[in-house]
Structures are given as structure tokens and as C-alpha cells.
């Protein structure tokens, strides 16, 4: 459609160097062609032009002092993309690769993901090119305090509620929350993923990985299948990968491979999760250390090699564009029946095409990994009510939300003539709610 093409051209003209953002916009606009034809009122109200432009983009200097007394400078970002249905909500990524375009792609995806959860949360994302790896706890603390000293003026429990992402786990959230509270003298749930002793929710740590498995289970069930007896490969070995491994195992699958940015491990008899948690969560070591404890396991340099491991189900849970066309072809050749994304945009567009053409069930990140933000939404509810639910209560709500997301996405795919195309379904189902809210609120922003 001409309109969507011209919007894309404008985005490229303005931000052509932000390739990840363009990739995310392309995927969504492509899915919305029929929506634009069916709802001319959204075209007239400029919803499509407006939705690709962030409401606000904040960039700031973060200076801090390392353990040797040297001054270090990083760049901080917060992109407040869309607040049509609620306060901005989305994580903070701390990784040397973070640029404005990275944060924009993640923030854009977050709009639709948050909408799919059914909870009142707008879309935003932030982060910094700071690398927590190899830094002492004190250095991480000083960075987080400096980062929050600026960020605090832009956020608030009814304005913008950040959370974790790559490189931002419980330790970082704790330091940031402490600094926020000190500066604002305000004990509100302005960050989610907090520790359980100061307003965190049970299941938040596990939520993205668990939610991914609940979603994948729905996808499999719809085809009369399940995790039972399946061999599963999961990339990454961080928060999402660890709890996806735990839930996969609980649901009867066997996880045989995990990775980090240096390489991957293969353990035919099944990954020893307790050991991975000790190495990654407690000792913050590399995944290759695993084979020292399990000589029957193998370590291979290079993280993308993980997709050569034969499996029934693949769950990419590390980072964007980690599963390319060639890897998708290998998965198909090896008989993989389902791919569901724990990470954001881990599968390249040509790889998605290969999977879909070959009938592999494919669950896009904005639907499959929405369990993390959904549980953050539940943390916000508990903070507002000054109350906390039990593990079972939160887990049950999470399970229900993931089942609803699957249902909404597959029904929209069906309605728009491409049953099983969950990319199309998730984009449309997420978009329609936002579009209606933006339409109702007029064009003043
Ligand atoms: P963590 O920092 O806990 O773990 C990230 C994992 O991915 C690590 O094993 C890391 O390896 C690996 N990784 C990171 N960058 C690369 C890279 N460039 N190449 C290969 N491997 C890499 O992050 P999370 O588990 O929280 O996040 C993983 C993914 O899930 C991200 O895409 C994130 O946006 C997404 N996500 C996370 C949510 C959450 O609640 N945490 C919610 C929804 C989505 P190494 O240690 O070597 O860097």
C-alpha cells in the first residue's frame, strides 16, 4: 500500500542508520496493510505516521568514577514511545552495543507487546552503552546511581516505569531504585523487577522464561502437540534462558544446549540447570566453565553454532538477529517443529520466511516474551494496592495472560486470512487497541 510505503520512506530518510529500528518498523507496517484498508479512519487520523515516531527521546551523559579513581563517561537513553494506553513501560538495557536505534527498536516493539498483555501500559525502553561485565559491584553501583540521577526527572509511577533487560538484573534494579528513592523521597513502584523485600513481585524473575514456555505450549497444543519428550535448544544463559530451561523441563522437555556471547554448550543427557545458575547468576562466569564440571558435555566457540544442534523446539533467548536464514534452514532440515522467541527480534526477516514457508510454528517475541512485562504490570498493581500476591496467584495470572495473548494473536491471524501467521496476528491485535486509544484521544500529541 502506498501510504505504508511512504511512511517507511520517511522513517528511512530520517533515521536510515538505525537498521534495527527500520527492521522492526518494516515488520509491523507489512502486517498492517489490510488493517489500513479496513479502517480508513485510522489512516485519516494519521495513526500510522504517528505510531512510528516516539513521543519523546531522552539522551544524557552518565559519568561515574571507576575503582582506580578514573572518570568514565557513558551515554544514557530513554525513549518514551507511546503512552496511549498507559504510562510508558519497558526495560533498561546495559550493553556496549546499545545505541539510540537499539532503544528505539525495543521501544517500538514494546508498544504492541504491552498492548497484547491486556494491561494498561504504554511502550518505552532505555539503557546505556555501559558494560556491567567485568565491573566490580561498587562500579556497577556508582554507574547505576549516576544513571538514575538524571533518569529520575523523566520517570514516575504514573509516567514511566522502567524494568530490567540485558545486563540489568536484580542487582542493577536495586541500586537504581535506591537512588531514585533517595532523590525523590518517594517509595513508589517506579521500577519493576525489584527485590522481594522492597516491593518486588513473586514470579517476576521467572516470568519471561516461564511465559515463553506457556505461550509455546499453547502454540503446540493448538496442533495437538506438547513439550513432552521434546528435545529443546535455548540460546543465551541469562535471565530469560535460565527460567525457560526450568519451565521446559517441568513441562516434560529436555534442554540440551545453552549459550552466551562467546560460545555454546551441548549436553546430550540434559542441561544441569543448578550448575548454570551457580555459574551465571552467582559467580557471573562464562558458560564454557560448565564443561569443567561435566566432562561428558561439549563446549563450542561461537554462539550461532547452537542452531546446528538437532532439536524439536528452538527458543532463542539471547539477543536480536541471532538466528539467521542459514540457521533457520538447518533447524528445518533437522526436523524442528517450533521456534518461539524469548529475546526481542532474535530471528532475521529472511529466517522467519524460511520457518513459516516450511510449516514450523513460529511465535514472535512481542507475543511470546510478553510474560516479563505482564508480570511487571502485576508488580505495579501490587505496589499500588500496597499488597503482595502469592507465587501461585501470580503464576496463574501469568499463565492466563499468555493463553490470552496466544488466543488474540491466532484469532487476528485467522480473521485477516492467514491462520497460523502469529507475526501478523500479534501485530494486528496489539495495534488495534493502541490505534483506537490514539484515535479517541485526538491528534494533540
Ligand atoms: P541477560 O543479560 O540476563 O542475558 C542475556 C544473555 O544473552 C546472556 O547469556 C548473554 O551472553 C547473551 N547475549 C547478550 N548479547 C549477546 C550477543 N550480542 N550475542 C550473543 N549472545 C548474547 O538478559 P535477559 O535474559 O534478560 O534478556 C535476553 C533477551 O530477552 C533480550 O533480547 C531481552 O530484550 C529479552 N527480554 C527480556 C525480558 C526480561 O524480563 N528480562 C523481557 C522480554 C524480553 P553474555 O553473558 O556473554 O553477554
Amino acid at each position: 500500500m502506498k501510504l505504508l510505503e511512504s511512511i517507511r520512506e520517511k522513517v528511512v530518510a530520517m533515521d536510515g542508520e538505525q537498521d534495527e529500528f527500520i527492521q522492526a518498523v518494516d515488520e509491523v507496517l507489512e502486517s498492517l496493510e489490510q488493517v489500513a484498508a479496513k479502517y480508513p479512519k485510522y489512516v485519516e487520523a494519521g495513526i500510522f505516521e504517528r505510531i512510528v515516531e516516539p513521543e519523546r527521546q531522552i539522551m544524557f551523559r552518565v559519568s561515574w568514577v571507576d575503582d582506580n579513581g578514573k572518570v568514565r563517561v557513558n551515554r544514557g537513553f530513554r525513549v518514551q514511545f507511546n503512552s496511549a494506553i498507559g504510562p510508558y513501560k519497558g526495560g533498561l538495557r546495559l550493553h556496549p552495543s546499545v545505541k539510540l536505534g537499539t532503544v528505539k527498536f525495543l521501544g517500538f516493539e514494546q508498544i504492541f507487546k504491552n498492548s497484547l498483555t491486556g494491561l494498561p501500559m504504554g511502550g518505552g525502553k532505555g539503557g546505556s552503552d555501559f558494560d556491567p561485565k567485568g565491573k566490580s559491584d561498587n562500579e556497577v553501583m556508582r554507574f547505576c546511581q549516576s544513571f538514575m540521577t538524571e533518569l529520575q526527572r523523566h520517570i514516575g509511577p504514573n509516567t514511566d516505569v522502567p524494568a530490567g533487560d540485558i545486563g540489568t538484573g536484580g542487582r542493577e534494579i536495586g541500586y537504581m531504585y535506591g537512588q531514585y528513592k533517595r532523590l525523590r523521597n518517594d517509595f513508589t513502584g517506579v521500577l519493576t523487577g525489584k527485590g522481594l523485600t522492597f516491593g518486588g513481585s513473586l514470579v517476576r524473575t521467572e516470568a519471561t522464561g516461564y511465559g515463553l514456555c506457556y505461550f509455546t505450549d499453547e502454540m503446540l497444543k493448538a496442533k495437538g502437540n506438547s513439550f513432552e519428550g521434546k528435545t529443546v535448544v535455548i540460546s543465551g544463559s541469562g535471565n530469560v534462558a535460565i527460567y525457560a530451561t526450568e519451565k521446559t523441563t517441568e513441562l516434560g522437555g529436555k534442554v540440551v544446549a545453552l549459550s552466551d556471547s562467546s560460545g555454546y554448550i551441548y549436553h546430550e543427557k540434559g542441561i544441569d540447570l543448578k550448575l548454570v545458575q551457580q555459574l551465571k547468576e552467582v559467580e557471573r562466569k562464562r558458560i564454557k566453565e560448565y564443561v569443567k564440571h561435566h566432562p561428558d558435555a561439549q563446549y563450542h566457540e561461537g554462539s550461532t553454532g547452537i542452531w546446528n544442534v538437532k532439536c524439536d523446539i528452538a527458543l532463542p533467548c539471547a539477543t536480536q538477529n541471532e538466528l539467521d536464514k542459514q540457521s533457520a534452514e538447518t533447524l528445518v532440515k533437522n526436523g524442528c517443529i517450533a521456534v518461539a522467541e524469548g529475546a526481542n527480534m532474535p530471528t532475521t526477516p529472511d529466517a522467519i520466511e524460511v520457518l513459516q514457508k516450511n510449516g514450523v510454528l513460529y511465535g514472535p517475541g512481542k507475543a511470546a516474551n510478553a510474560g516479563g512485562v505482564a508480570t511487571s504490570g502485576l508488580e505495579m498493581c501490587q505496589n499500588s494496592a500496597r499488597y503482595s500476591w502469592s507465587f501461585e496467584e501470580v503464576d496463574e495470572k501469568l499463565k492466563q495472560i499468555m493463553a490470552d495473548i496466544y488466543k488474540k494473536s491466532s484469532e487476528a491471524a485467522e480473521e485477516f486470512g492467514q491462520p497460523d501467521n502469529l507475526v501478523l496476528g500479534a501485530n494486528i491485535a496489539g495495534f488495534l487497541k493502541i490505534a483506537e486509544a490514539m484515535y479517541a484521544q485526538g491528534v494533540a500529541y
Side-chain angles (χ1 to χ4, degrees):
M1 183 188 229
K2 263 213 168 86
L3 168 75
L4 298 184
E5 255 168 49
S6 76
I7 293 171
R8 180 187 192 274
E9 276 165 21
K10 193 171 159 207
V11 172
V12 171
M14 287 176 83
D15 297 315
E17 78 293 352
Q18 298 173 355
D19 32 345
E20 292 162 342
F21 176 55
I22 309 273
Q23 184 183 334
V25 167
D26 270 347
E27 188 214 89
V28 171
L29 289 183
E30 215 180 295
S31 304
L32 295 179
E33 282 193 12
Q34 293 179 68
V35 175
K38 186 169 173 184
Y39 297 96
K41 70 173 190 177
Y42 296 152
V43 176
E44 280 153 31
I47 303 288
F48 299 91
E49 284 96 329
R50 285 152 67 198
I51 208 160
V52 297
E53 184 67 22
E55 289 172 17
R56 198 172 295 109
Q57 308 181 54
I58 301 150
M59 280 169 64
F60 51 96
R61 182 179 68 211
V62 187
S63 31
W64 55 282
V65 180
D66 72 16
D67 287 347
N68 298 316
K70 188 172 181 291
V71 175
R72 305 280 200 111
V73 181
N74 287 103
R75 182 171 289 175
F77 303 92
R78 187 72 184 165
V79 172
Q80 299 179 330
F81 223 119
N82 194 301
S83 62
I85 64 167
Y88 310 103
K89 180 91 197 86
L92 298 168
R93 177 172 294 191
L94 299 182
H95 194 273
S97 64
V98 169
K99 304 185 289 277
L100 180 61
T102 320
V103 179
K104 276 179 70 182
F105 116 66
L106 290 162
F108 184 67
E109 292 274 296
Q110 198 81 44
I111 306 171
F112 305 95
K113 183 190 305 194
N114 293 3
S115 166
L116 283 169
T117 65
L119 299 171
M121 300 182 289
K125 200 84 187 188
S128 171
D129 61 348
F130 172 79
D131 188 357
K133 247 184 262 151
K135 305 284 189 308
S136 70
D137 284 354
N138 275 329
E139 289 177 323
V140 171
M141 181 175 73
R142 288 194 289 272
F143 167 83
C144 289
Q145 291 174 336
S146 178
F147 182 82
M148 185 50 83
T149 301
E150 172 60 29
L151 186 67
Q152 58 90 21
R153 72 186 82 238
H154 307 290
I155 62 176
N158 294 309
T159 308
D160 184 353
V161 185
D165 190 75
I166 291 180
T168 308
R171 174 182 62 171
E172 290 75 16
I173 293 287
Y175 293 150
M176 289 182 194
Y177 186 67
Q179 182 71 352
Y180 178 86
K181 194 164 56 58
R182 182 168 166 211
L183 293 169
R184 300 283 286 263
N185 195 23
D186 192 22
F187 201 107
T188 48
V190 75
L191 289 165
T192 56
K194 298 184 290 297
L196 294 176
T197 53
F198 54 97
S201 173
L202 287 160
V203 196
R204 177 59 189 92
T205 307
E206 296 84 354
T208 309
Y210 278 19
L212 169 66
C213 294
Y214 295 147
F215 184 91
T216 310
D217 200 36
E218 291 294 321
M219 224 166 66
L220 293 166
K221 267 198 313 214
K223 300 288 170 199
N225 218 329
S226 75
F227 268 103
E228 196 59 51
K230 301 292 189 299
T231 299
V232 182
V233 164
I234 300 182
S235 64
S237 49
N239 172 268
V240 181
I242 284 177
Y243 294 98
T245 301
E246 184 173 287
K247 189 52 77 177
T248 294
T249 313
E250 247 180 77
L251 294 172
K254 182 172 73 165
V255 179
V256 295
L258 286 177
S259 62
D260 61 19
S261 53
S262 313
Y264 72 94
I265 50 164
Y266 171 66
H267 199 177
E268 194 189 353
K269 72 179 191 207
I271 294 290
D272 172 357
L273 187 60
K274 284 274 165 303
L275 174 62
V276 173
Q277 287 185 284
Q278 177 63 28
L279 293 173
K280 302 300 284 188
E281 292 183 332
V282 182
E283 297 174 22
R284 296 181 192 271
K285 286 194 171 148
R286 310 303 297 158
I287 199 72
K288 72 171 168 214
E289 300 287 318
Y290 183 94
V291 295
K292 288 190 184 153
H293 302 260
H294 286 291
D296 58 329
Q298 300 157 18
Y299 173 73
H300 300 267
E301 277 295 321
S303 49
T304 50
I306 194 169
W307 309 118
N308 296 327
V309 175
K310 189 171 163 39
C311 64
D312 303 306
I313 298 169
L315 305 176
C317 294
T319 194
Q320 62 270 21
N321 293 326
E322 55 161 316
L323 198 168
D324 62 9
K325 185 176 178 203
Q326 200 188 339
S327 308
E329 285 166 351
T330 307
L331 286 171
V332 169
K333 191 169 74 134
N334 285 342
C336 175
I337 56 164
V339 173
E341 299 180 334
N344 285 307
M345 212 169 74
T347 316
T348 59
D350 50 0
I352 297 173
E353 206 180 310
V354 168
L355 298 173
Q356 289 184 325
K357 272 202 180 131
N358 286 280
V360 176
L361 300 174
Y362 169 71
K366 60 171 82 65
N369 71 33
V373 73
T375 308
S376 279
L378 300 177
E379 182 173 332
M380 289 164 75
C381 292
Q382 294 168 82
N383 291 163
S384 300
R386 301 280 190 274
Y387 192 69
S388 38
W389 294 319
S390 69
F391 190 98
E392 291 70 27
E393 279 174 290
V394 181
D395 193 32
E396 198 43 53
K397 288 186 198 326
L398 169 64
K399 209 179 282 177
Q400 188 56 53
I401 289 171
M402 297 316 293
D404 288 346
I405 294 176
Y406 176 78
K407 188 163 177 281
K408 274 183 222 170
S409 307
S410 59
E411 283 175 359
E414 179 103 37
E415 183 190 335
F416 284 84
Q418 293 188 45
D420 293 340
N421 186 345
L422 295 174
V423 176
L424 184 94
N427 286 337
I428 293 178
F431 173 82
L432 286 176
K433 180 175 171 188
I434 310 285
E436 194 47 41
M438 288 175 75
Y439 185 80
Q441 290 170 39
V443 282
Y445 75 104

